[in-house]
Amino acid sequence: MTTALQPGVVGAPPALEAAGIVKHFDGVLALGGAGLSVRRGEIHALLGENGAGKSTLIKVVTGLVAPDSGEIRRDGEEVRFSTVRAAHGAGVVALYQELSIVPTVSVAENVLLGEETPSRGGVVSWRALNQRAGEQLARLNQRIPLRKLAGELSPVQQTMVAVARALATDARVLILDEPTASLTDTEITDLFAVLRRLRDEGVAIVYVSHRLEEVFELCDRLTIMRNGETIVTKPIAETTIDEVISTMVGRPHGLLYPARDTATSEVVLEVSGLTGSRVADVSFRAHAGEVLGIGGLAGSGRSELLRLLAGAQKRVSGAITVAGHELPHSLGVGRALDAGIALVPEERRSQGVILGDSIQDNIAVANLPAVSRAGWVSNRAIAKIARSALADLQIKARGPRQAVGHLSGGNQQKVVLAKMLSRRPRVLLMDEPTRGIDVGTKAEIYRLIRRLAANGTTVIAVSSELPELIGLSDRIVVVHEGRVSGEVPAADADEETLLSYCYGRTA
Amino acid sequence: MASTEAPAAVAPAAATERTPFSQHLWQAGTVLALIALIILFGALRPEAFLSFGNVRNILAQIAILAIIAAAQTVVMVVGDFDLSVGVTATLAGATAAALMGDGTSIPLAILAGLVVGTLVGVVNGVLVAYMNLSAFVATLATLTSVGGLAFIVTGGTTLYGMPESFFSIGQSRPFGIPLPIFFAVIVAVAVWVVLRFTTLGRRWYAVGGSAEVARLSGVNVRLARFLAFTVAGFLSAIGGIILVSRLGSASATSANNYMLLAVAAVFLGMTILRSGAANVGGTLVGVGIIGVMSNGLNIVGVSTYFQQVLTGIIIIAAVTLSALKSRDR
Amino acid sequence: MRGRFAKVVGLGLASALALAGCSDSGGGDGGGGDTFKVAAFTAGYGTPVGKSTLDAFVDRGEQLGWDVTLYTSDFDYDKINNDVQSAVTQGVDAILAGFPDPRQIQPIVTAAKDADIPIFAIDGGVEPNDDFVVDITTNQQQIADLTVGALSEAMGGLQGKNVMVIGHDPHVGIATRSRMAEKLLTDGGATIAGGEIKQVLSPGTSQEEALKFVTDYLQANPEGLDGVWVGWDHAAVGATQAINEAGRNDIFVTGVDAVGIALAEIKKNGPFYATVVQDWPGVLDETMQDMQTYADTGDLPEQNFVETDVTLVTRANVNEIKPTDS
C-alpha cells in the first residue's frame, strides 16, 4: 500500500478543487458551502449520509448542475462548466451507478462513444475503430472482445468499458459513484487494481461509496459531507471507521418529533421468514399503536420489505399474519388492503398520486368499495370522503376537485396518506414518509403518525434519515443486504449504532 | 364547494399555474374549432349547410364513426391504443352478412357478429394485458390477421341480399331521424355512464393516469386493460353491423378506414380535458369536426384529395395541442 | 409459472391465426420438368371480378396439366412485384397478368424481358403496350358510349342536364372510361355536377363514399342533379341509395361491371338504370387459347392488343345476365 502521510502530488495545485459551493433547489438549500480538493495521483473518497449533498456536489463539478455561487478550479485555473461536454473537455468525467453504456452496440463503439467515429467518406472504418478501442482497453490491462455487444458483458467488464471510455476522452479527473454496488469480491479486486494503476499514472480519482471497508482499503484521503457542507478532509491513515461514522452523523436530534405516549400491547402484524428477491428470511412483530422504524442503506431491501408486505411485489416464501389471520401467499395490493395493510410508496410522483387527476379522484382510486354500490360509484360519497380528508389532514388546496399536480410536495404526500387512511388500515406502511417535504409539513406528518398510533394503528416507516428514524419510532429494525442486522428500542438508539448496523457491522 | 369545516383550505396560488382564462381558452380550443367550421360553412352556403335536412344528414354520416370512436375512447382511457377497431367492425359486419346469406336468422347472425368482434377484443386484451405486448404491436398484428379473416369471410367479394328487415337497423327513420343516430347516442351515453359512474370506469381512468399508482392503490390493472380491449371489440362490432345494414352490403374492407378517423376524433377530444385524458364528450366533438369538415367541403365542392390533406392537418393539430397541454403535467 | 402459461397461450393464438390465414391458400406445388409453369398474378384479388377470373384461370390451367402458381394482393403492387420477380428467378414458362396497372409492374416486366418470358395480360391497360405479348381487354370507348347513351335515354337527352361523374383515377380502366364519359356528356350539352369528376379514395369503401357524395350534393343543390355516371357498380349502388333516401325518382344512375348487387338494383326499377357486362369469361377463354398455343408450339399471338365487345344491361335484359361476381 502506498499510503504515504501526504498522498498524491502535493507541490502542484490540486487537479480539481471546488470551494464555497452553494446551491438551492426550489428554495431548499442543497449545498451550503461545500468543497472538495483532489490531487493528481490520489484516490479520494467522498463520504456522507444519504442526502448529505455528495451527488449534488458531483453534478456541480461535472457541469450537470450550475451552482448559485462558489469556485471550481482545474489545475489551479478557475473554470465554469456549463455543460457536461465542457467538463469532459477539461478532463473531468463522472461514471454513475447506472453505468452509462449502450447495451445494444459493440464494446468498441461504447469505448469510443461520443468521439468522432473513425470513418472514410461517411463509411465507418471498423478496423480503425476496433484498433483505437483496443488500445484504450489495453491501457487498463483488460481483454474484452471488442465486437461483443456491451450488454452481454459482466458488470465489472461494463465498468471497465465505461472507465476506458472516460480515458479515451483523456480524463484526468475520474469520478466514480458506487462503482462496486453490483460487483463480486474478485471483480472488486480487479477494479481496484485498475484504479490504482490509473492513480499511479497521475489520474485524480474521486470515489463515492457507502462501503467503508472498501474505502479504507483503496483510498488515500477522504472528505466527509453533512447537511450540504464539507466537514473534514484528511488522509485515511489518520482516521478510523468509527470516527468516520460519528463524523458523518454529527448533529444532535432536532425538536421536530412529538413525544411518544403509546403503550404497546397486542401483536397486530407478525412476519416470519419473509423472502423476496433481495429480502431474505426477515422475521419481526409489530404491535398495535406502535411506530416501527426500518433503517438501512439504499438498496438494502428496506423498500422491498414494505412492498412485500403490501402485496405490491411477489413473495418467494415466508408468512405474513395480520391480527392472527395468515394472508394468502399470492397477495395482491387489493387483498392486502382488504386485510388492513396499506402502503404509502416511496416515489410520490410516480407511485403515489396521479398528477393530472383531482384530489378526490386520487383518493377514490383506493376506496372504490366504500364509495360504490354494485359497481355504481357515488360521486357524492367520493366528495364526502375527500372533504373530510382535506379537513383531517389540513391539506392546503382550493377544494377536492383541484388537480394534485398543482399542490406542493407536502400536500401531495398528504393526499397519498388520505387515500390510504380512508381505508382505515390496521397496519400503515410508509416508505420515506417525508422525502422532499418542507420542515413545517414534516412536523405535521410526524404528529399525524403519532396520532394514528395513539388510536391503535401500527405504523411501519422506512427512512434513510437517521434522526427521523430515531425521533419518530418506538422501535427500530435495521436491514443490511436483505437481512435484519440489528434491532433497538428507539429510546436507546443513537445514530452511530444505527449506522454501524446499516453498514452491516452487527454489534 | 363551501368547505367551512376546513379553515386551512386556502388557495396556494402556485406561481406556475396558468391563469384560469387562458386555461379555459386552451380547453375550449377544439370546441371553438367546431363552432368556427360551422360558422364558416354556414356563411358559405347558408341555405344548404344549416338546413334541418343537412344537420340530420351530418348526424347520420357520423353515427357509425361515433360508435367506433367510442370504442377507441375506452382503450385510450386506459392509456393504450387499438389499431384494429376498423377491421374488427368490418369482420363483425361481414360475419353477420355471410351468416344471413346462408339463411341464419337475423338475431342469431347479429349475435354471431357481436361475438366475433368481442373475441377479437379478447385476443387483444390477452396479448396486451396478460402477455405484456405493447398495444401497438399486438393490435397491429390483429389488424393484419383480422383484415385477412374479413377477406376470407366475404370470399373477397361484396356480400349483399340480406333480408329486407335487417336493413331497418341502418336505414329506417323513426320520427324522421335515421336509426343509426339513436344507436350512436345510446352507445355514447352508455360509455359515458360507465366511464363516469361505475367503479370500472374509475379503474380505467386510474390505469390510464398511472398504471403503477393504480396498482399500488389495489386496482387489478391487468383485468382493467383486458376489459377495455374487450369492450372496444364489442363496440366496434356494433358499428360494423350497423354499417352493413346501412349500406345493404358487406365488403372485405368496408369499415377499415374508420380506425384512423376514430383515433383522430379521440385525440381531438383529449384536448378538451385539463388532464389530457380521453373522454366521450371530447370524442364526440372530434367526430363532429370530422363530420362537418367532410360534409361542408363536399357541399362547397372541394375535391376528396384535398379533404384528405385537411384531415391529416387536423390530426397533427390535435396531437400538437395534446402535447402542448401534457407538458403542463 | 405465469411466464410459461403465457407463452403457451401465445403460441396457441399465433398458430390459430396462422391456420386461419393459411386455410384459404391453395396452389399447386412444383410439378415435373416438362410441365408448363405459369406464374399468375393480380393486385385486384380484393375485387369480385379479379378474384373470380383468376380463380377460374387457375382451375382451368390445372385441368390442362399446367403448373399454375397464383400471386395476389389487395392493390399492393410492391408485394406483387417482389413475389413475381422471385417466381421469375426460380423459372417459369409464362406469366399471366390479371388486371394489372401497366404503370406499376415495371420490375416484373424488366425481369421477364431479361429472362425471355412472355407476359399475357387480361385487361392490362387501355392502349397497346409492348410489355405484353398480348393484352386482351374490353373496349373502354364502347363502355362509355353505351352507359352515357343509356343515361341519356333515362334522362331524356343530355342537353342542359346536370350529371355527376364518380371515378377513381388510380384504376387505369376506370380513369379512362370516366374521362371518355365526361367528354361524351359535355359534348352532348350536359354539365358536370360540381365541375369535375368526383374521386373516390378507396375502392373498398366506395359505396359509402359515393353515398356521401350524392347525399351532400343533393343537400346543397336539390334541383341540380339529373343523373350520376359511375365508373363501377359498387359506387353506383351507393349513389342509388342516396337518391332513394332523398326520396327522388327523377335522377338516374349507371354503373359498370354487372355485379350481383347492381343487377338486383336494376331489377327494382329504381334509379339504377343500367350497367355494362364485360365478357371476362370470353376474355379468359381467348387468353387460355393463346397460352395453350404458346405452350404447345411456342408461337406467340399475332396481335398484341385485343379489345372485346361489351353488353349493356338494362331493365329489359337484366334477367338474362349472370352476375359477374358469383
Side-chain angles (χ1 to χ4, degrees), chain A residues 312 361 375 377 379 398 419, chain B residues 17 197-199 202 215-217:
Chain A
D361 286 350
V377 171
N379 284 321
R398 281 203 293 270
K419 174 168 83 172
Chain B
E17 227 181 302
F197 296 109
T198 67
T199 53
R202 291 281 166 163
R215 193 175 77 89
L216 291 177
S217 300

Side-chain angles (χ1 to χ4, degrees), chain A residues 309-436:
Chain A
L309 292 174
Q313 199 171 320
K314 269 199 187 145
R315 145 170 56 127
V316 174
S317 62
I320 302 169
T321 310
V322 175
H325 297 284
E326 189 174 334
L327 304 189
H329 182 77
S330 68
L331 180 69
V333 177
R335 274 187 178 174
L337 275 172
D338 291 342
I341 304 184
L343 169 68
V344 174
E346 183 178 9
E347 301 292 340
R348 182 166 57 242
R349 295 172 76 87
S350 65
Q351 300 176 327
V353 284
I354 300 170
L355 294 167
D357 280 4
S358 67
I359 295 170
Q360 64 177 26
D361 286 350
N362 266 285
I363 293 175
V365 177
N367 292 280
L368 289 173
V371 298
S372 65
R373 192 174 300 157
W376 291 90
V377 171
S378 155
N379 284 321
R380 192 182 299 170
I382 292 178
K384 197 175 150 197
I385 288 193
R387 267 201 294 275
S388 78
L390 285 181
D392 278 356
L393 301 184
Q394 302 193 351
I395 297 174
K396 294 189 185 66
R398 281 203 293 270
R401 288 172 188 275
Q402 191 177 4
V404 169
H406 292 152
L407 301 180
S408 72
N411 282 302
Q412 289 180 2
Q413 184 73 343
K414 285 183 181 175
V415 172
V416 185
L417 262 168
K419 174 168 83 172
M420 287 309 174
L421 290 180
S422 300
R423 292 293 298 242
R424 310 203 175 288
R426 307 193 65 146
V427 180
L428 180 68
L429 312 173
M430 303 181 79
D431 201 346
E432 302 287 1
T434 63
R435 174 179 288 178

Side-chain angles (χ1 to χ4, degrees), chain B residues 131-213:
Chain B
M131 295 175 59
N132 299 325
L133 263 66
S134 82
F136 185 84
V137 172
T139 60
L140 187 67
T142 42
L143 162 74
T144 313
S145 293
V146 171
L149 287 175
F151 272 98
I152 292 169
V153 167
T154 57
T157 70
T158 299
L159 304 174
Y160 67 99
M162 285 74 85
E164 280 294 327
S165 51
F166 170 68
F167 297 150
S168 61
I169 293 172
Q171 296 179 12
S172 64
R173 297 186 167 191
F175 317 111
I177 310 284
L179 193 56
I181 298 176
F182 290 95
F183 284 116
V185 169
I186 291 169
V187 166
V189 168
V191 171
W192 179 73
V193 164
V194 168
L195 286 177
R196 187 156 167 76
F197 296 109
T198 67
T199 53
L200 181 61
R202 291 281 166 163
R203 292 195 182 99
W204 279 341
Y205 268 117
V207 170
S210 164
E212 183 64 2
V213 172

Side-chain angles (χ1 to χ4, degrees), chain A residues 58 103 184 219 304 369 465-466:
Chain A
I58 291 176
T184 65
C219 301
E304 185 184 288
E465 293 181 43
L466 296 179

Side-chain angles (χ1 to χ4, degrees), chain C residues 176-198:
Chain C
T176 307
R177 60 185 178 247
S178 39
R179 292 281 176 290
M180 291 169 169
E182 184 187 23
K183 185 166 188 310
L184 288 169
L185 286 165
T186 45
D187 287 354
T191 309
I192 302 301
E196 57 182 1
I197 299 175
K198 297 272 180 193

Side-chain angles (χ1 to χ4, degrees), chain C:
Chain C
M1 265 192 313
R2 166 175 279 129
R4 178 171 300 175
F5 171 74
K7 272 174 204 152
V8 170
V9 171
L11 285 175
L13 284 172
S15 43
L17 287 172
L19 282 175
C22 288
S23 60
D24 197 49
S25 68
D29 29 338
D34 52 355
T35 42
F36 186 60
K37 282 187 77 168
V38 183
F41 74 88
T42 183
Y45 206 61
T47 65
V49 172
K51 184 176 182 337
S52 57
T53 308
L54 269 292
D55 284 350
F57 176 83
V58 174
D59 280 353
R60 288 169 61 178
E62 279 169 357
Q63 280 166 24
L64 291 171
W66 300 351
D67 174 6
V68 186
T69 313
L70 178 61
Y71 303 91
T72 65
S73 81
D74 187 26
F75 293 105
D76 180 351
Y77 276 97
D78 199 37
K79 175 180 186 295
I80 281 295
N81 277 319
N82 285 332
D83 288 356
V84 179
Q85 269 179 291
S86 35
V88 168
T89 316
Q90 285 153 30
V92 292
D93 298 310
I95 296 172
L96 177 87
F99 309 91
D101 181 344
R103 299 165 300 189
Q104 295 195 57
I105 56 164
Q106 279 314 309
I108 294 176
V109 171
T110 311
K113 279 219 168 99
D114 291 348
D116 208 16
I117 299 168
I119 303 178
F120 296 75
I122 292 177
D123 195 20
V126 291
E127 51 197 23
N129 184 338
D130 285 339
D131 292 345
F132 307 125
V133 294
V134 63
D135 174 19
I136 305 177
T137 183
T138 52
N139 188 331
Q140 297 292 342
Q141 188 61 54
Q142 193 187 11
I143 293 176
D145 290 344
L146 289 172
T147 47
V148 171
L151 199 56
S152 167
E153 178 188 304
M155 298 187 299
L158 293 175
Q159 188 62 45
K161 296 291 194 295
N162 289 300
V163 180
M164 181 185 282
V165 178
I166 298 179
H168 179 61
D169 277 358
H171 186 289
V172 190
I174 293 174
T176 307
R177 60 185 178 247
S178 39
R179 292 281 176 290
M180 291 169 169
E182 184 187 23
K183 185 166 188 310
L184 288 169
L185 286 165
T186 45
D187 287 354
T191 309
I192 302 301
E196 57 182 1
I197 299 175
K198 297 272 180 193
Q199 293 292 341
V200 161
L201 291 175
S202 158
T205 55
S206 57
Q207 188 185 339
E208 202 184 354
E209 287 186 59
L211 171 58
K212 275 191 190 174
F213 284 157
V214 177
T215 307
D216 289 346
Y217 186 81
L218 281 177
Q219 283 294 337
N221 315 280
E223 299 310 318
L225 197 63
D226 301 294
V228 186
W229 186 96
V230 192
W232 71 108
D233 278 349
H234 287 293
V237 170
T240 306
Q241 279 181 311
I243 292 162
N244 280 330
E245 281 174 15
R248 302 285 291 265
N249 56 11
D250 55 345
I251 306 173
F252 297 94
V253 180
T254 61
V256 175
D257 279 346
V259 296
I261 190 169
L263 299 181
E265 282 296 330
I266 292 174
K267 285 177 197 167
K268 288 180 192 166
N269 291 329
F272 203 134
Y273 191 77
T275 185
V276 153
V277 62
Q278 307 177 75
D279 186 13
W280 297 119
V283 171
L284 181 63
D285 284 343
E286 211 170 325
T287 313
M288 301 282 326
Q289 271 172 20
D290 284 348
M291 289 186 90
Q292 174 107 55
T293 310
Y294 176 70
D296 295 345
T297 66
D299 291 340
L300 292 172
E302 288 161 18
Q303 266 187 306
N304 87 332
F305 188 66
V306 180
E307 284 186 310
T308 57
D309 282 347
V310 298
T311 314
L312 187 71
V313 183
T314 61
R315 293 166 193 175
N317 63 348
V318 64
N319 287 321
E320 297 140 32
I321 304 294
K322 222 175 124 256
T324 50
D325 59 343
S326 60

